[in-house]
Amino acid sequence: MGEGKGSTLVHLLLIILCLVAFGFAIAAERRRSTGSIHIDDRTNSTYCVYDSDVATGYGVGAFLFLLTGQSLLMGVTKCMCFGTPLAPGGNRAWSIIYFTSSWLSFLVAEACLIAGAKKNAYHTKYKSMTESFSCDTLRKGVFVAGAVFVVATMILNVYYYMYFTKATTQPAHKTNRSSSTLGMAGYA
């Protein structure tokens, strides 16, 4: 590790995992399942016929890749709780800010991805002809919102790792005072 630069391998793996998660989220949005209403004349019931459920798999894949990237970063940085302490200063402050922001962005992205996958997998059952009926499908934009937060998480994680390594590699500054007492002579 160089002058607070961090490991290039960690940067590269983090970016690749997040970009794969982004790709899966976009693919999930494009392949959302759609349903069409069909009427069974024999039993006089209405039901929905859905196309492929591949978007559910893409959504879960995006969830897992983003989770892997976040786990990698938290494992390398020891979740900022364990290991060498951070030196006081601006790098520590930015590290804490990016840490909390990346976790918030990560949680929103994961929530969008898993909720989208769950809702996409849900299919309406049979209903009788007398009830109002529509085929439940996933609303547009759920996976896109997840993809946007995946990119935000990636950016925040890269900055967090950069400032974290700067804060752990810089030495803590000690103040040298000639006396340990407070001088009040100037206020007399």
mmCIF file of all heavy atoms in Angstrom, residues 80-113:
data_model
loop_
_atom_site.group_PDB
_atom_site.id
_atom_site.type_symbol
_atom_site.label_atom_id
_atom_site.label_comp_id
_atom_site.label_asym_id
_atom_site.label_seq_id
_atom_site.Cartn_x
_atom_site.Cartn_y
_atom_site.Cartn_z
ATOM 1 N N MET A 80 -14.475 -0.544 9.927
ATOM 2 C CA MET A 80 -14.027 0.688 10.570
ATOM 3 C C MET A 80 -14.095 0.624 12.101
ATOM 4 O O MET A 80 -13.872 1.614 12.780
ATOM 5 C CB MET A 80 -14.830 1.892 10.068
ATOM 6 C CG MET A 80 -14.096 3.199 10.215
ATOM 7 S SD MET A 80 -14.892 4.575 9.429
ATOM 8 C CE MET A 80 -16.332 4.793 10.411
ATOM 9 N N CYS A 81 -14.416 -0.536 12.667
ATOM 10 C CA CYS A 81 -14.534 -0.654 14.115
ATOM 11 C C CYS A 81 -13.320 -1.334 14.744
ATOM 12 O O CYS A 81 -13.006 -1.098 15.896
ATOM 13 C CB CYS A 81 -15.782 -1.446 14.470
ATOM 14 S SG CYS A 81 -17.291 -0.728 13.840
ATOM 15 N N PHE A 82 -12.697 -2.211 14.003
ATOM 16 C CA PHE A 82 -11.587 -2.995 14.523
ATOM 17 C C PHE A 82 -10.324 -2.639 13.751
ATOM 18 O O PHE A 82 -10.380 -2.023 12.699
ATOM 19 C CB PHE A 82 -11.882 -4.489 14.389
ATOM 20 C CG PHE A 82 -13.204 -4.873 14.990
ATOM 21 C CD1 PHE A 82 -14.288 -5.159 14.176
ATOM 22 C CD2 PHE A 82 -13.377 -4.925 16.357
ATOM 23 C CE1 PHE A 82 -15.509 -5.498 14.721
ATOM 24 C CE2 PHE A 82 -14.597 -5.260 16.915
ATOM 25 C CZ PHE A 82 -15.668 -5.546 16.090
ATOM 26 N N GLY A 83 -9.198 -3.059 14.240
ATOM 27 C CA GLY A 83 -7.953 -2.781 13.535
ATOM 28 C C GLY A 83 -7.321 -1.501 14.017
ATOM 29 O O GLY A 83 -7.590 -1.010 15.113
ATOM 30 N N THR A 84 -6.465 -0.929 13.179
ATOM 31 C CA THR A 84 -5.752 0.284 13.566
ATOM 32 C C THR A 84 -6.716 1.459 13.655
ATOM 33 O O THR A 84 -7.613 1.605 12.825
ATOM 34 C CB THR A 84 -4.644 0.611 12.545
ATOM 35 O OG1 THR A 84 -5.254 0.772 11.261
ATOM 36 C CG2 THR A 84 -3.611 -0.490 12.475
ATOM 37 N N PRO A 85 -6.523 2.305 14.673
ATOM 38 C CA PRO A 85 -7.428 3.461 14.797
ATOM 39 C C PRO A 85 -7.148 4.491 13.712
ATOM 40 O O PRO A 85 -6.049 4.579 13.171
ATOM 41 C CB PRO A 85 -7.096 4.008 16.187
ATOM 42 C CG PRO A 85 -5.731 3.521 16.488
ATOM 43 C CD PRO A 85 -5.559 2.222 15.761
ATOM 44 N N LEU A 86 -8.149 5.262 13.422
ATOM 45 C CA LEU A 86 -8.016 6.314 12.420
ATOM 46 C C LEU A 86 -7.379 7.544 13.059
ATOM 47 O O LEU A 86 -7.724 7.920 14.178
ATOM 48 C CB LEU A 86 -9.380 6.682 11.851
ATOM 49 C CG LEU A 86 -10.180 5.556 11.211
ATOM 50 C CD1 LEU A 86 -11.524 6.088 10.731
ATOM 51 C CD2 LEU A 86 -9.433 4.929 10.074
ATOM 52 N N ALA A 87 -6.460 8.147 12.335
ATOM 53 C CA ALA A 87 -5.798 9.356 12.837
ATOM 54 C C ALA A 87 -6.789 10.514 12.818
ATOM 55 O O ALA A 87 -7.567 10.656 11.874
ATOM 56 C CB ALA A 87 -4.589 9.680 11.975
ATOM 57 N N PRO A 88 -6.771 11.344 13.858
ATOM 58 C CA PRO A 88 -7.685 12.486 13.865
ATOM 59 C C PRO A 88 -7.398 13.423 12.704
ATOM 60 O O PRO A 88 -6.269 13.561 12.265
ATOM 61 C CB PRO A 88 -7.387 13.181 15.197
ATOM 62 C CG PRO A 88 -6.592 12.231 16.007
ATOM 63 C CD PRO A 88 -5.944 11.275 15.058
ATOM 64 N N GLY A 89 -8.430 14.034 12.219
ATOM 65 C CA GLY A 89 -8.270 14.996 11.132
ATOM 66 C C GLY A 89 -9.363 14.869 10.105
ATOM 67 O O GLY A 89 -10.369 14.177 10.290
ATOM 68 N N GLY A 90 -9.147 15.542 8.995
ATOM 69 C CA GLY A 90 -10.139 15.592 7.928
ATOM 70 C C GLY A 90 -10.375 14.246 7.273
ATOM 71 O O GLY A 90 -11.506 13.931 6.899
ATOM 72 N N ASN A 91 -9.320 13.445 7.126
ATOM 73 C CA ASN A 91 -9.493 12.131 6.496
ATOM 74 C C ASN A 91 -10.383 11.218 7.325
ATOM 75 O O ASN A 91 -11.182 10.463 6.783
ATOM 76 C CB ASN A 91 -8.134 11.463 6.257
ATOM 77 C CG ASN A 91 -7.342 12.160 5.180
ATOM 78 O OD1 ASN A 91 -7.918 12.744 4.263
ATOM 79 N ND2 ASN A 91 -6.022 12.136 5.297
ATOM 80 N N ARG A 92 -10.251 11.289 8.647
ATOM 81 C CA ARG A 92 -11.118 10.492 9.509
ATOM 82 C C ARG A 92 -12.560 10.971 9.409
ATOM 83 O O ARG A 92 -13.485 10.156 9.339
ATOM 84 C CB ARG A 92 -10.642 10.549 10.956
ATOM 85 C CG ARG A 92 -11.553 9.725 11.881
ATOM 86 C CD ARG A 92 -11.014 9.601 13.256
ATOM 87 N NE ARG A 92 -11.225 10.826 14.019
ATOM 88 C CZ ARG A 92 -10.942 10.946 15.304
ATOM 89 N NH1 ARG A 92 -10.409 9.943 15.963
ATOM 90 N NH2 ARG A 92 -11.165 12.077 15.922
ATOM 91 N N ALA A 93 -12.759 12.264 9.373
ATOM 92 C CA ALA A 93 -14.122 12.801 9.262
ATOM 93 C C ALA A 93 -14.765 12.378 7.945
ATOM 94 O O ALA A 93 -15.920 11.926 7.933
ATOM 95 C CB ALA A 93 -14.083 14.326 9.366
ATOM 96 N N TRP A 94 -14.018 12.516 6.835
ATOM 97 C CA TRP A 94 -14.572 12.100 5.544
ATOM 98 C C TRP A 94 -14.794 10.596 5.503
ATOM 99 O O TRP A 94 -15.754 10.128 4.890
ATOM 100 C CB TRP A 94 -13.664 12.540 4.403
ATOM 101 C CG TRP A 94 -13.830 13.984 4.065
ATOM 102 C CD1 TRP A 94 -12.926 14.977 4.236
ATOM 103 C CD2 TRP A 94 -15.003 14.602 3.524
ATOM 104 N NE1 TRP A 94 -13.450 16.168 3.830
ATOM 105 C CE2 TRP A 94 -14.726 15.970 3.380
ATOM 106 C CE3 TRP A 94 -16.262 14.131 3.151
ATOM 107 C CZ2 TRP A 94 -15.652 16.870 2.877
ATOM 108 C CZ3 TRP A 94 -17.190 15.029 2.647
ATOM 109 C CH2 TRP A 94 -16.887 16.375 2.514
ATOM 110 N N SER A 95 -13.934 9.856 6.137
ATOM 111 C CA SER A 95 -14.096 8.407 6.179
ATOM 112 C C SER A 95 -15.400 8.030 6.883
ATOM 113 O O SER A 95 -16.143 7.162 6.413
ATOM 114 C CB SER A 95 -12.897 7.783 6.893
ATOM 115 O OG SER A 95 -13.017 6.395 6.946
ATOM 116 N N ILE A 96 -15.684 8.675 7.983
ATOM 117 C CA ILE A 96 -16.923 8.404 8.723
ATOM 118 C C ILE A 96 -18.145 8.831 7.911
ATOM 119 O O ILE A 96 -19.148 8.114 7.859
ATOM 120 C CB ILE A 96 -16.881 9.100 10.100
ATOM 121 C CG1 ILE A 96 -15.810 8.437 10.983
ATOM 122 C CG2 ILE A 96 -18.237 9.057 10.782
ATOM 123 C CD1 ILE A 96 -15.491 9.208 12.245
ATOM 124 N N ILE A 97 -18.058 9.980 7.270
ATOM 125 C CA ILE A 97 -19.181 10.462 6.450
ATOM 126 C C ILE A 97 -19.454 9.496 5.301
ATOM 127 O O ILE A 97 -20.607 9.123 5.049
ATOM 128 C CB ILE A 97 -18.899 11.889 5.932
ATOM 129 C CG1 ILE A 97 -18.963 12.886 7.082
ATOM 130 C CG2 ILE A 97 -19.861 12.274 4.819
ATOM 131 C CD1 ILE A 97 -18.422 14.261 6.748
ATOM 132 N N TYR A 98 -18.409 9.097 4.588
ATOM 133 C CA TYR A 98 -18.590 8.170 3.464
ATOM 134 C C TYR A 98 -19.019 6.780 3.939
ATOM 135 O O TYR A 98 -19.763 6.090 3.250
ATOM 136 C CB TYR A 98 -17.325 8.080 2.610
ATOM 137 C CG TYR A 98 -17.137 9.279 1.726
ATOM 138 C CD1 TYR A 98 -15.973 10.022 1.768
ATOM 139 C CD2 TYR A 98 -18.132 9.679 0.837
ATOM 140 C CE1 TYR A 98 -15.799 11.129 0.951
ATOM 141 C CE2 TYR A 98 -17.967 10.776 0.017
ATOM 142 C CZ TYR A 98 -16.804 11.495 0.088
ATOM 143 O OH TYR A 98 -16.653 12.580 -0.725
ATOM 144 N N PHE A 99 -18.565 6.370 5.106
ATOM 145 C CA PHE A 99 -18.961 5.077 5.660
ATOM 146 C C PHE A 99 -20.471 5.039 5.902
ATOM 147 O O PHE A 99 -21.160 4.114 5.461
ATOM 148 C CB PHE A 99 -18.203 4.814 6.964
ATOM 149 C CG PHE A 99 -18.612 3.566 7.683
ATOM 150 C CD1 PHE A 99 -18.142 2.334 7.272
ATOM 151 C CD2 PHE A 99 -19.452 3.614 8.783
ATOM 152 C CE1 PHE A 99 -18.503 1.172 7.932
ATOM 153 C CE2 PHE A 99 -19.824 2.467 9.449
ATOM 154 C CZ PHE A 99 -19.347 1.243 9.028
ATOM 155 N N THR A 100 -20.991 6.035 6.601
ATOM 156 C CA THR A 100 -22.425 6.046 6.896
ATOM 157 C C THR A 100 -23.253 6.253 5.619
ATOM 158 O O THR A 100 -24.298 5.623 5.449
ATOM 159 C CB THR A 100 -22.772 7.132 7.927
ATOM 160 O OG1 THR A 100 -22.278 8.392 7.475
ATOM 161 C CG2 THR A 100 -22.181 6.808 9.280
ATOM 162 N N SER A 101 -22.777 7.116 4.737
ATOM 163 C CA SER A 101 -23.508 7.339 3.486
ATOM 164 C C SER A 101 -23.541 6.093 2.614
ATOM 165 O O SER A 101 -24.571 5.784 2.004
ATOM 166 C CB SER A 101 -22.875 8.488 2.700
ATOM 167 O OG SER A 101 -22.888 9.667 3.443
ATOM 168 N N SER A 102 -22.425 5.379 2.564
ATOM 169 C CA SER A 102 -22.399 4.169 1.739
ATOM 170 C C SER A 102 -23.309 3.091 2.317
ATOM 171 O O SER A 102 -23.950 2.357 1.569
ATOM 172 C CB SER A 102 -20.975 3.638 1.577
ATOM 173 O OG SER A 102 -20.516 3.035 2.758
ATOM 174 N N TRP A 103 -23.378 3.003 3.640
ATOM 175 C CA TRP A 103 -24.280 2.020 4.234
ATOM 176 C C TRP A 103 -25.750 2.377 3.975
ATOM 177 O O TRP A 103 -26.563 1.488 3.695
ATOM 178 C CB TRP A 103 -24.032 1.875 5.739
ATOM 179 C CG TRP A 103 -23.068 0.774 6.018
ATOM 180 C CD1 TRP A 103 -21.760 0.892 6.365
ATOM 181 C CD2 TRP A 103 -23.334 -0.632 5.943
ATOM 182 N NE1 TRP A 103 -21.197 -0.346 6.502
ATOM 183 C CE2 TRP A 103 -22.132 -1.308 6.263
ATOM 184 C CE3 TRP A 103 -24.449 -1.393 5.641
ATOM 185 C CZ2 TRP A 103 -22.031 -2.699 6.293
ATOM 186 C CZ3 TRP A 103 -24.354 -2.778 5.672
ATOM 187 C CH2 TRP A 103 -23.162 -3.408 5.991
ATOM 188 N N LEU A 104 -26.083 3.646 4.071
ATOM 189 C CA LEU A 104 -27.469 4.049 3.783
ATOM 190 C C LEU A 104 -27.821 3.762 2.324
ATOM 191 O O LEU A 104 -28.895 3.214 2.025
ATOM 192 C CB LEU A 104 -27.671 5.529 4.097
ATOM 193 C CG LEU A 104 -27.697 5.906 5.575
ATOM 194 C CD1 LEU A 104 -27.754 7.418 5.741
ATOM 195 C CD2 LEU A 104 -28.869 5.247 6.262
ATOM 196 N N SER A 105 -26.932 4.122 1.422
ATOM 197 C CA SER A 105 -27.153 3.868 0.007
ATOM 198 C C SER A 105 -27.226 2.364 -0.279
ATOM 199 O O SER A 105 -28.059 1.913 -1.065
ATOM 200 C CB SER A 105 -26.027 4.514 -0.797
ATOM 201 O OG SER A 105 -26.140 4.197 -2.146
ATOM 202 N N PHE A 106 -26.376 1.600 0.361
ATOM 203 C CA PHE A 106 -26.377 0.144 0.211
ATOM 204 C C PHE A 106 -27.707 -0.453 0.667
ATOM 205 O O PHE A 106 -28.288 -1.302 -0.027
ATOM 206 C CB PHE A 106 -25.220 -0.458 1.015
ATOM 207 C CG PHE A 106 -25.281 -1.940 1.174
ATOM 208 C CD1 PHE A 106 -24.960 -2.779 0.117
ATOM 209 C CD2 PHE A 106 -25.655 -2.518 2.376
ATOM 210 C CE1 PHE A 106 -25.016 -4.153 0.254
ATOM 211 C CE2 PHE A 106 -25.702 -3.879 2.531
ATOM 212 C CZ PHE A 106 -25.389 -4.703 1.460
ATOM 213 N N LEU A 107 -28.200 -0.027 1.809
ATOM 214 C CA LEU A 107 -29.463 -0.571 2.328
ATOM 215 C C LEU A 107 -30.634 -0.229 1.417
ATOM 216 O O LEU A 107 -31.523 -1.072 1.195
ATOM 217 C CB LEU A 107 -29.704 -0.077 3.752
ATOM 218 C CG LEU A 107 -28.745 -0.628 4.804
ATOM 219 C CD1 LEU A 107 -28.980 0.038 6.154
ATOM 220 C CD2 LEU A 107 -28.878 -2.140 4.918
ATOM 221 N N VAL A 108 -30.660 0.983 0.872
ATOM 222 C CA VAL A 108 -31.741 1.354 -0.047
ATOM 223 C C VAL A 108 -31.650 0.531 -1.329
ATOM 224 O O VAL A 108 -32.666 0.041 -1.840
ATOM 225 C CB VAL A 108 -31.702 2.870 -0.348
ATOM 226 C CG1 VAL A 108 -32.667 3.234 -1.459
ATOM 227 C CG2 VAL A 108 -32.025 3.664 0.911
ATOM 228 N N ALA A 109 -30.435 0.366 -1.858
ATOM 229 C CA ALA A 109 -30.257 -0.424 -3.079
ATOM 230 C C ALA A 109 -30.687 -1.875 -2.864
ATOM 231 O O ALA A 109 -31.405 -2.448 -3.695
ATOM 232 C CB ALA A 109 -28.796 -0.375 -3.536
ATOM 233 N N GLU A 110 -30.281 -2.463 -1.758
ATOM 234 C CA GLU A 110 -30.644 -3.850 -1.472
ATOM 235 C C GLU A 110 -32.156 -3.991 -1.290
ATOM 236 O O GLU A 110 -32.745 -4.968 -1.741
ATOM 237 C CB GLU A 110 -29.914 -4.352 -0.223
ATOM 238 C CG GLU A 110 -28.418 -4.468 -0.403
ATOM 239 C CD GLU A 110 -28.001 -5.642 -1.257
ATOM 240 O OE1 GLU A 110 -28.056 -5.522 -2.488
ATOM 241 O OE2 GLU A 110 -27.613 -6.666 -0.703
ATOM 242 N N ALA A 111 -32.768 -3.005 -0.630
ATOM 243 C CA ALA A 111 -34.216 -3.047 -0.439
ATOM 244 C C ALA A 111 -34.951 -2.980 -1.771
ATOM 245 O O ALA A 111 -35.919 -3.724 -2.003
ATOM 246 C CB ALA A 111 -34.658 -1.908 0.480
ATOM 247 N N CYS A 112 -34.504 -2.098 -2.660
ATOM 248 C CA CYS A 112 -35.132 -1.993 -3.988
ATOM 249 C C CYS A 112 -34.967 -3.290 -4.773
ATOM 250 O O CYS A 112 -35.920 -3.766 -5.403
ATOM 251 C CB CYS A 112 -34.534 -0.838 -4.776
ATOM 252 S SG CYS A 112 -35.014 0.788 -4.204
ATOM 253 N N LEU A 113 -33.779 -3.857 -4.744
ATOM 254 C CA LEU A 113 -33.513 -5.061 -5.534
ATOM 255 C C LEU A 113 -34.292 -6.266 -5.019
ATOM 256 O O LEU A 113 -34.900 -7.003 -5.792
ATOM 257 C CB LEU A 113 -32.010 -5.357 -5.549
ATOM 258 C CG LEU A 113 -31.159 -4.336 -6.294
ATOM 259 C CD1 LEU A 113 -29.681 -4.613 -6.076
ATOM 260 C CD2 LEU A 113 -31.492 -4.328 -7.768
#
